[in-house]
Amino acid sequence: MPKNVKQKTVSALEDVTLTTNEKILKECHVLYTHPDNGLVKIAEELGFTLLAPRKKITVILIGNHSAGKSSFINWYIEEHVQRTGVAIETQGFTFVTSGRKRESLTGNATLHLYPHFKPLQEIPGVVDYLATEVSTSKQKKFSLVTFVDTPGLVDGDMKYPFDVNEAINWLGDLADLIFVFFDPIGQALCKRTLNLVEELNSRHPERLRFYLSKADEAGHESDRQRLDSFFNKVESTFQET
Ligand SMILES: Nc1nc2c(ncn2[C@@H]2O[C@H](COP(=O)(O)OP(=O)(O)O)[C@@H](O)[C@H]2O)c(=O)[nH]1
Ligand SMILES: [Mg+2]
């Protein structure tokens, strides 16, 4: 089959399979990337660089070590791409995104794929702990989302191989949504998590969403109510500031 016919067939197939939201995002993207009269090209002619908007929203998940961040991603996409467990499984940052074939990418390939995230390489050590997992899952709204799984946060002597606070703050500035996970058993009051949430909240209160994970382990009804009120307090504290 000639190449242009093949391309047309692929894009016709895409038009049928894409949802309305995906089509809108795709059209916005083409406004920027059209080779003849896209905004990126026009900007280039005027001497400055423009990045096309991302076609997906970026959701960064933060929280204490073992709060259930990676499990949430696996549940959402209905595929076990992220390791989970009580040990510190997620040491770096992993982008989990949808694509046509299942693959795992290194840090440099990740930055190549997501030029918006390139400034991350200025934080020493981060690129070595950066990866992307491309999944073919079509569950829920996954085709519209890129999740950023982050290292579990802990207090004390734990030594991170890069400045974890700086990296999370930087990613939070770029993300569309920031999900904060608190688990009832672990270390819901981890100082590092609370400080980070406070910093992010001062800049982007509208992006933050709080989740209480492992509700099934919250024990008796009275425990759950105590948790509920703890949770309400956290939410109102951060929403007021
Ligand atoms: N009971 C219960 N356990 C959970 C839930 N979500 C995660 N876990 C368990 O908690 C542990 C830590 O989860 P993980 O996703 O690795 O946490 P992360 O460090 O925040 O990524 C794992 O053993 C999970 O199986 C939940 O909703 N309920
Ligand atoms: Mg994890």
Side-chain angles (χ1 to χ4, degrees):
M1 195 190 285
K3 202 170 166 213
N4 60 343
V5 175
K6 198 172 165 198
Q7 258 161 5
K8 273 191 186 149
T9 318
V10 169
S11 78
L13 268 175
E14 264 181 0
D15 281 348
V16 178
T17 50
L18 292 183
T19 63
T20 309
N21 284 340
E22 285 171 313
K23 278 185 200 157
I24 293 170
L25 289 167
K26 193 177 157 203
E27 275 175 31
C28 291
H29 196 80
V30 170
L31 285 176
Y32 280 77
T33 53
H34 194 282
D36 304 326
N37 52 13
L39 290 169
V40 172
K41 177 89 191 301
I42 294 170
E44 203 180 284
E45 282 163 11
L46 295 172
F48 61 96
T49 322
L50 204 62
L51 281 170
R54 289 161 286 167
K55 277 186 275 187
K56 298 177 184 179
I57 64 156
T58 306
V59 181
I60 170 167
L61 290 84
I62 65 169
N64 311 321
H65 147 62
S66 200
K69 301 176 292 297
S70 304
S71 304
F72 172 84
I73 295 176
N74 291 344
W75 166 81
Y76 190 91
I77 71 175
E78 297 178 36
E79 193 182 315
H80 193 95
V81 291
Q82 286 298 81
R83 285 178 65 181
T84 59
V86 280
I88 299 186
E89 298 286 5
T90 318
Q91 282 202 332
F93 295 94
T94 308
F95 291 40
V96 182
T97 196
S98 66
R100 289 197 190 147
K101 71 176 207 275
R102 173 83 182 95
E103 51 188 339
S104 304
L105 307 174
T106 61
N108 284 324
T110 299
L111 295 182
H112 188 72
L113 189 68
Y114 301 103
H116 292 83
F117 292 90
K118 272 226 162 94
L120 258 187
Q121 64 196 14
E122 279 151 38
I123 305 176
V126 171
V127 179
D128 295 334
Y129 287 87
L130 191 65
T132 296
E133 297 295 340
V134 182
S135 153
T136 55
S137 162
K138 295 256 176 225
Q139 300 303 323
K140 307 184 182 74
K141 295 273 188 277
F142 183 51
S143 52
L144 297 169
V145 188
T146 296
F147 288 115
V148 183
D149 199 4
T150 65
L153 298 172
V154 286
D155 284 332
D157 295 335
M158 162 83 180
K159 197 99 180 78
Y160 292 89
F162 46 82
D163 188 333
V164 71
N165 288 45
E166 189 186 353
I168 290 187
N169 264 306
W170 192 89
L171 283 163
D173 289 345
L174 214 86
D176 300 288
L177 285 170
I178 303 163
F179 285 4
V180 186
F181 281 69
F182 290 108
D183 67 330
I185 23 186
Q187 330 155 35
L189 293 169
C190 167
K191 199 100 194 89
R192 192 190 288 274
T193 305
L194 294 180
N195 289 344
L196 259 171
V197 170
E198 210 168 336
E199 286 168 40
L200 289 167
N201 184 62
S202 66
R203 298 198 302 281
H204 316 291
E206 74 292 348
R207 296 184 191 170
L208 286 164
R209 301 287 183 280
F210 299 102
Y211 295 98
L212 182 64
S213 58
K214 306 190 190 171
D216 55 312
E217 288 204 7
H220 301 296
E221 189 54 35
S222 60
D223 285 344
R224 268 180 235 168
Q225 278 166 7
R226 283 211 338 256
L227 274 170
D228 248 8
S229 68
F230 160 75
F231 201 49
N232 285 336
K233 223 179 333 184
V234 169
E235 205 151 28
S236 57
T237 309
F238 288 123
Q239 238 92 95
E240 274 162 20
T241 48

